[in-house]
Amino acid sequence: MHSTVPPPPKVSYKSLFGLPVIVAALGYFVDIYDLLLFGIVRVPSLKDLGLNDEQISRVGANILNWQMGGLLIGGILWGVLGDKRGRLSVLFGSIITYSIANIACGFIDRVTFMDPTDYYAAMRFVAGVGLAGELGAGITLVSEVLPKQLRAIGTSLVAGVGLFGAVVAYFTVELFNWQNAFLIGGAMGIGLLLLRIGVIESGMFTQVSEQKHVQKGNFFAFFTNWERFSKYMKCIGIGLPTWFVIGILATFSNEFGLAFGIAEPVKPGLTIMWCYIGLAIGDLASGVISQGLKSRKQAVSLLMGFTLVVSLIYVYVAPKTVMGLYMYFLAMGFGIGYWAMFVTIGAEQFGTNLRATAATTVPNMVRGTVILMTSLYAYLKPSLDIVNAGVAVGIISFAIGFYSILTIPETHGKDLNYLEE
């Protein structure tokens, strides 16, 4: 007997190297460069402004919180705009915003009309608002223009290539100074605008935009239906361990280095660079793992479990050398390389009229939780010490992360051409 079921259509891998994927990847590259730049220049820039070690820790955490607050607000702003006006409107608007803010950061040491640290915080807030739109809009666009068989690999390529922006940021600061590093970031963003002119809008969004009766980009729709609300909160929960590693363990690695008794000073900028090298490799691998297992959930669970194991070894079998510490972060970075898959899951959980809002707000809600993490970490340090304060924040992050990924609906191979009622 011959089967009457037609063979699945052949998928061309050429679309992975089309302009939407390339532009989204380069956009995320510049986004990560600018997003992580403050973490890399935090110590030298604040030293140049005349702050002592205690002030650098306190003021640096405050400026980081302002940047993350900007990401939180910008995530909602760009997400709603992406569903109402189109994915491309966000890709253009967001990059203009953060490019101008980063150029302004290059002149902080020349500010005389107000306290330079307040100006620094304000500019990082504006940069955060701009940076919030890049990843979600890019992932949404790529998810909608690629065949469903290639979505995981395509979004992983975007994130994997983009995350090397952290490596370039570190070496830019090493080769030049922190002021020029900000100016270079702004210039790269403006240059990328020219490349984006040739990108076309997602066909799925174009179809929906013509349906005037369909409500698009309603952020509050995530809170008016229990099933949508539950999926939305779980999408956020999945990402918490990623920013625990970046926002606590990596950003304050100099404090952990002292607690571990490492003689040589730990450079947080170098820690972040090694972490992001691992993250980029992990992101590229996560798409292949998801495709091989035919499951987003299994791929993320494996990588999250790997991160938990390495984190526990890091804090309880402490590294003895600076290079040993950096290698731990290379491994932890690989583990949190499910970042692209986590954003893809966020995009795939919701219909076309809410997809950009979800994909843009979810990662920025996660980034925004860094404010809560750093505040809890600072509150617990006096009573628990540096290491145990970090462990306490980590336990909460991983508990929520595992619960979320294990209970959220699977989206591998899901058809995305539908609407939220």
Side-chain angles (χ1 to χ4, degrees), residues 36-366:
L36 274 294
L37 191 55
F38 174 70
I40 294 169
V41 305
R42 176 177 62 96
V43 174
S45 64
L46 293 176
K47 270 187 178 177
D48 282 356
L49 295 179
L51 276 62
N52 59 36
D53 289 345
E54 185 277 329
Q55 290 171 319
I56 287 172
S57 179
R58 177 172 49 81
V59 174
N62 180 59
I63 294 173
L64 178 64
N65 285 344
W66 274 101
Q67 177 177 295
M68 293 305 173
L71 286 161
L72 201 59
I73 293 170
I76 299 171
L77 170 69
W78 297 117
V80 170
L81 191 65
D83 278 324
K84 286 185 178 294
R85 301 295 300 273
R87 290 43 169 147
L88 290 183
S89 65
V90 176
L91 290 177
F92 279 98
S94 64
I95 202 166
I96 292 170
T97 304
Y98 68 75
S99 295
I100 292 171
N102 276 290
I103 290 170
C105 286
F107 300 98
I108 288 167
D109 56 338
R110 302 182 193 179
V111 170
T112 56
F113 58 88
M114 64 186 293
D115 186 299
T117 59
D118 290 339
Y119 175 86
Y120 206 167
M123 289 304 100
R124 293 321 298 165
F125 174 80
V126 175
V129 171
L131 291 164
E134 192 69 43
L135 178 62
I139 292 290
T140 302
L141 181 65
V142 169
S143 296
E144 291 179 342
V145 300
L146 287 180
K148 62 184 179 182
Q149 298 92 328
L150 297 180
R151 278 202 307 258
I153 297 175
T155 54
S156 293
L157 277 173
V158 170
V161 172
L163 289 166
F164 279 108
V167 180
V168 174
Y170 176 78
F171 283 110
T172 302
V173 175
E174 289 291 299
L175 292 172
F176 303 99
N177 55 32
W178 61 268
Q179 295 95 331
N180 285 331
F182 277 123
L183 296 176
I184 289 168
M188 285 196 299
I190 291 171
L192 186 61
L193 278 173
L194 301 175
L195 188 60
R196 288 198 163 154
I197 293 171
V199 181
I200 60 172
E201 185 57 86
S202 155
M204 287 186 194
F205 171 77
T206 303
Q207 290 176 9
V208 172
S209 66
E210 295 169 353
Q211 301 177 41
K212 303 301 181 185
H213 66 283
V214 176
Q215 191 175 47
K216 298 176 281 290
N218 180 8
F219 175 68
F220 297 104
F222 294 120
F223 306 95
T224 57
N225 175 283
W226 173 254
E227 184 182 355
R228 267 200 301 266
F229 174 74
S230 176
K231 287 195 295 184
Y232 186 71
M233 296 308 294
K234 287 174 182 177
C235 286
I236 295 169
I238 293 167
L240 292 186
T242 63
W243 272 89
F244 163 70
V245 171
I246 298 165
I248 300 296
L249 298 184
T251 300
F252 298 101
S253 57
N254 54 332
E255 297 181 9
F256 280 85
L258 288 172
F260 294 153
I262 298 174
E264 190 180 343
V266 174
K267 293 182 180 179
L270 195 52
T271 307
I272 290 169
M273 187 201 79
W274 280 109
C275 186
Y276 269 76
I277 290 174
L279 223 169
I281 297 168
D283 257 320
L284 291 169
S286 68
V288 177
I289 295 169
S290 174
Q291 204 70 17
L293 295 173
K294 292 183 169 47
S295 170
R296 307 278 192 256
K297 294 177 61 169
Q298 289 181 32
V300 171
S301 298
L302 281 172
L303 289 168
M304 193 184 293
F306 176 82
T307 309
L308 175 61
V309 171
V310 177
S311 301
L312 289 171
I313 296 171
Y314 170 72
V315 294
Y316 290 118
V317 186
K320 304 302 179 188
T321 65
V322 168
M323 199 62 207
L325 182 142
Y326 295 149
M327 290 303 98
Y328 269 108
F329 279 94
L330 178 67
M332 278 188 274
F334 177 83
I336 60 172
Y338 68 81
W339 177 253
M341 204 51 50
F342 139 74
V343 181
T344 305
I345 289 170
E348 292 174 335
Q349 292 289 339
F350 303 98
T352 307
N353 54 325
L354 281 180
R355 186 165 301 126
T357 306
T360 306
T361 56
V362 163
N364 290 301
M365 290 290 180
V366 174

